[in-house]
Structures are given as structure tokens and as C-alpha cells.
Amino acid sequence: MRNSSGAELNLRSQILFQDPTRTRTKDLITAVASWHKTYVHESSHWARYHGSTVGVLLSLLRRTRDQLAAYTISRMSRQQTEFLHEGWGSGLPFLSFKRYPQHTSGELRYNELDWLNLYHAYHVLLDPESLTEFDATSWDTQAAFENSLEDAWRQSAGVEMLERPEGARVSVTGPLKLVHTSEGPLTTRTLFECAAVIDELFQFEGAFMRMADPTLREFLLEEMSGEYGLPWRLASALAGRELGGSVVLALIDFALNPVVPGLTSAAPSVDWRELYPPYRFAAAAKAMADWESDLEFQYPSHEVTIHFQRTIAQRSGLRLGRVASRLSDVSTLREAATTPMHLSERTAAVSFMCASRLLELREEDVCALTHYGVNFLDDRAARFIDPDQDMWWLFPVFQVSQGEYRWPAEHVNLDEATDLLIAAAVASAYDDVLHGTGSLASDHLPRALFEDHGEVVALNKVLKDSTGLDMGWRTGLNPQHM
């Protein structure tokens, strides 16, 4: 998920990449305003992702996939390891939709199917267009979701998720269709992006942004005429009238909080219409056709937004998901860095800790998430000046600026921040080891890390110790999308 300026919240590593503003102006106010709106855009991704049931589900699916990858690699025979190296060097991935089934004996044949299901379900849920392999489009989506939801629930039962009823089998009912429009597919990723641009537009209600060059706002309106504005245009068409940005944000939030087996309730069955955010968004927008919300006429508030959610749920027949389990026993970033756990779990531990804080905030002040941009206006912005309001988890925890890694020094020291970065690098490498070919990807990690030969050697050693495989990154890699 990225901003048109080049900034990006990378979900592989949970790191925000943002260089100093590139605004070509001598106007200091405009330069600062440009940086601010971009930061709001990317931070809104962080807060919505970690503060929603779909974001928590995506984190669970990703961690389960990484855990399975780590387990599979650790159990591979010497022959299988040699086969992996040979294929990897020849451009043939070890696990592939196109070549499935490739492993037909022993435990590996089951792990292969489970891993591909987890990968498929994650990407269909977030952005089906990221599934580039031809054969992935013909994969059994229903089986992938049912098996993946069950695997995640089994792995996380009694921890991040509710206790799983004995013998329960997850089922996803109804036709598992994507949402297509005349302008192209509506995806969960597009919902995140549309909300982030509206959050940027909200900033121009503040006195500071109104002093900046008006072309900044004009640029955002132009951006809304493209892909990122698709949800807004679709919602207005389905409602039969032009909807305001505040209403669209509330519709997006409703869509991003689906019912999830094991997470929002112990019921093992869910209809695809209640699970898939793009469908939820379209259904919620249709429910606006003959009803006007107070959000269309007044500034968003907790009470009005809660009423909106309840009314949309009643009118659409879709429930609003609410996490029913305790997501994390970790209460500080330092605990996430120092508590003994596998490298595949440490990045997820940070995500679940921040998610638990954000979900608590949702109960107290839902607008802090549904209308994230208002956090930076008027009295709400003053909260960040008060040191007693420790809300660092409302923003991306780790950042990269000009290729250099940044972390909150008041919460973790250098060694702890380094350990968290290494964990993110190793966990994200599992996809490249099993499903990729050639060099391990590095565009989700700090550029400076690969400019130091000693650091690359140390990172490769950790990866080899974790996987037992002689694969790693090379010095000088620099494909950052900045």
C-alpha cells in the first residue's frame, strides 16, 4: 500500500518508507504540508489495517503461512533441500500453483497444499490482482479459505483467537465471487487507498493546510478521479446520490470489519458476503439508497458513527465484526522484541500488540479509526502533545528515511530494534525461499542494510541458522521503491 508520492507502508516488513518531501517549492508551509498529508495517508493504512478484523485476519494468515514455511523447511530431507536449491537456481520455485502437485509423498505433500492455500487466501482477501501466476486464478478459492481459516484458528486457538470447538470444521458458504465494476475490480486494497486519500483531504479543513499551495488539494482531487476514487464513485452510484467523504469512510470501515470464524465468534461458518470486504462495501452502499445518515450533515462523532454502523448492519443484513478474543499478552514493544519466540512470530507479535491497543481505542473513540484524518485536527491533535497520552501505536512503529532504519528509541534500544528488523527480514524471506526464484527480495527492508557487507553477512547467517539453507541476500542490492 503506497502513496502516489512514493511513500509506502510495506506489509511484508510492516515498515513505513518515507523520504523527506520532494515538493519543489521554496514555500516552507507547502513543503511541510506535503510531508504531513503523505504521512497521514500511510499512517491511516497502519491504523486501519491493525485496527480492523480483516487486518487481524490477514496478520493471522500471514503468520500461519510463515510458521508452516519454517516448519516445512526444518523437516526437509537432504534430497529435498538439494531439489530446492537446484530449482531455485534454475528459475523453478519449490512450491508453485502452476506445478502443483509437485511433492506427492510424505508430510511435504500436505504442507505444500496448506501453504499454497494460505498464500492464495491472503492475496484474494487483500488484492487478487497480486496473484500473477496464471494457474492461481483457477485455484479452488472456497477450499483455500476454509482450510486456511481452520489452520489459522487451530494454530491460534486460546491465544489470539477463541478456543476452537472440538470437531469444528470451518465453512464458507455462498458463491465466492469477486466484485467487478465497469472500471475494474473492487479490492480490499483499493478500499484502504480510497480511505487514505479522503483522510488527506480532511487535512484541508485545518487552518495550517489551508495556508499551503492549493495545488496540493487539487492534486488529491485529481487522484480521486483514478483508481483510488473507485470506491467513492461506486458508493455514490449504488446509493443513487453523491455521498460525502465522511459517509464513504464509514462505509469503508464497515467493510473492513467482517465476521471471522474464531476471531469474532466461535461459530465455524460464515457467508462469503459477510467475510469479503468489497462485497460488504457494495451491500452497505446499496443500503444508503433510501436512507440518509447524520454523517451526511454533521462532523463525525463517536455516537453518530456507532448509530451509522448499527443502521447499516440492520439494513444490509450484514453483521459488523468485533474481535472477541484477547489478541496479545504482550503490552510493550520491548516485550515483543525480547520475549523468546520463533523468528516467524516476532513481527506478528508487534502487529497483534498494536492491534489490541487500536481495538481498545475503537471502543472508546471509533472515529479515531473510521475517520483517521480527524486525529490531526483541532482538539484531537493536541492529544499527541500530551506525554500522558502514549499513542505511539496509532502510527507505523518502524520507518525508513533515505534508506536508514528508524525506531522509537523511548520504547526499544538499538539491539532490540535490530532483532525486530532481523525477524521481519527472515520471516518475509520464507515466501522467497519457497515460492520465489533468484535473489531474495529486499525492497521491503532498509536500503542501507545492504550497503554494508558485514551487516549482510550477519543477516545471511541468521537466515541460514533459521532455515539450514545456504541462501541469502547480496551486498549492494538496492531496488527500493521510494
Side-chain angles (χ1 to χ4, degrees), residues 284-306:
K286 286 180 182 178
M288 298 288 298
D290 56 353
W291 172 67
E292 291 184 339
S293 165
D294 288 343
L295 279 174
E296 299 187 57
F297 313 107
Q298 65 185 64
Y299 199 73
S301 68
H302 179 78
E303 293 73 21
V304 171
T305 305
I306 292 295

Side-chain angles (χ1 to χ4, degrees), residues 68-354:
L68 178 60
Y71 176 80
T72 299
I73 292 171
S74 70
R75 304 276 291 184
M76 283 167 44
S77 65
R78 177 176 296 180
Q79 182 181 15
Q80 290 166 339
T81 300
E82 292 174 353
F83 181 68
L84 184 151
H85 275 283
E86 290 174 5
W88 197 62
S90 304
L92 298 174
F94 190 65
L95 301 182
S96 168
F97 293 102
K98 191 172 184 179
R99 302 173 71 199
Y100 177 83
Q102 184 172 342
H103 310 285
T104 57
S105 62
E107 188 178 29
L108 185 57
R109 64 174 176 166
Y110 300 108
N111 292 352
E112 177 185 18
L113 177 59
D114 288 343
W115 191 93
L116 291 172
N117 278 336
L118 285 161
Y119 186 94
H120 184 81
Y122 177 95
H123 287 279
V124 167
L125 188 59
L126 179 61
D127 184 14
E129 293 184 298
S130 63
L131 287 168
T132 55
E133 291 189 52
F134 174 79
D135 289 67
T137 60
S138 61
W139 197 256
D140 189 336
T141 300
Q142 181 167 358
F145 268 90
E146 290 180 340
N147 292 330
S148 296
L149 288 171
E150 192 163 308
D151 287 345
W153 193 354
R154 183 184 299 110
Q155 195 75 10
S156 306
V159 188
E160 293 83 14
M161 302 180 78
L162 300 170
E163 291 290 350
R164 184 167 167 266
E166 187 174 351
R169 297 285 298 179
V170 172
S171 63
V172 180
T173 60
L176 274 66
K177 296 180 179 179
L178 304 181
V179 176
H180 298 281
T181 76
S182 59
E183 298 185 47
L186 178 68
T187 68
T188 303
R189 179 189 63 81
T190 312
L191 294 175
F192 277 111
E193 296 290 4
C194 180
V197 177
I198 298 176
D199 284 331
E200 287 186 83
L201 288 169
F202 254 112
Q203 303 313 297
F204 290 89
E205 295 187 13
F208 176 77
M209 293 295 284
R210 287 200 297 268
M211 292 188 292
D213 189 327
T215 57
L216 288 181
R217 187 172 184 276
E218 292 170 9
F219 173 77
L220 290 175
L221 294 175
E222 181 180 341
E223 192 170 43
M224 269 300 185
S225 67
E227 178 195 15
Y228 290 1
L230 170 58
W232 197 337
R233 293 190 294 275
L234 177 63
S236 295
L238 292 173
R241 66 184 184 280
E242 186 67 31
L243 297 177
S246 184
V247 173
V248 176
L249 286 177
L251 291 172
I252 290 174
D253 186 78
F254 183 85
L256 296 178
N257 284 277
V259 173
V260 180
L263 186 65
T264 61
S265 78
S269 180
V270 63
D271 192 284
W272 179 248
R273 297 173 300 174
E274 286 209 297
L275 178 65
Y276 191 52
Y279 184 91
R280 292 174 58 85
F281 180 79
K286 286 180 182 178
M288 298 288 298
D290 56 353
W291 172 67
E292 291 184 339
S293 165
D294 288 343
L295 279 174
E296 299 187 57
F297 313 107
Q298 65 185 64
Y299 199 73
S301 68
H302 179 78
E303 293 73 21
V304 171
T305 305
I306 292 295
H307 180 262
F308 178 91
Q309 293 174 338
R310 291 172 178 167
T311 304
I312 286 294
Q314 183 180 19
R315 294 177 64 84
S316 68
L318 302 177
R319 293 167 292 174
L320 182 72
R322 177 184 176 190
V323 172
S325 57
R326 177 178 171 80
L327 278 180
S328 177
D329 289 327
V330 173
S331 59
T332 67
L333 195 56
R334 175 159 285 117
E335 285 182 55
T338 58
T339 301
M341 64 182 76
H342 194 275
L343 288 174
S344 64
E345 301 179 72
R346 206 169 288 283
T347 299
V350 175
S351 293
F352 293 137
M353 179 196 63
C354 291

Side-chain angles (χ1 to χ4, degrees), residues 18-23 35 401-402:
Q18 179 171 298
D19 274 355
T21 179
R22 296 187 210 171
T23 303
W35 180 92
S401 179
Q402 295 183 304

Side-chain angles (χ1 to χ4, degrees), residues 35-51:
W35 180 92
H36 171 73
K37 73 178 187 61
T38 301
Y39 185 73
V40 168
H41 182 111
E42 296 307 320
S43 295
S44 79
H45 289 329
W46 168 273
R48 282 196 177 87
Y49 182 89
H50 293 93

Side-chain angles (χ1 to χ4, degrees), residues 1 8 11 13 51 53 107 109 157 239-240 330 332 334 420 437 472 475:
M1 293 188 284
E8 172 189 359
L11 295 180
S13 58
T53 61
E107 188 178 29
R109 64 174 176 166
V330 173
T332 67
R334 175 159 285 117
L420 288 168
T437 58
T475 304

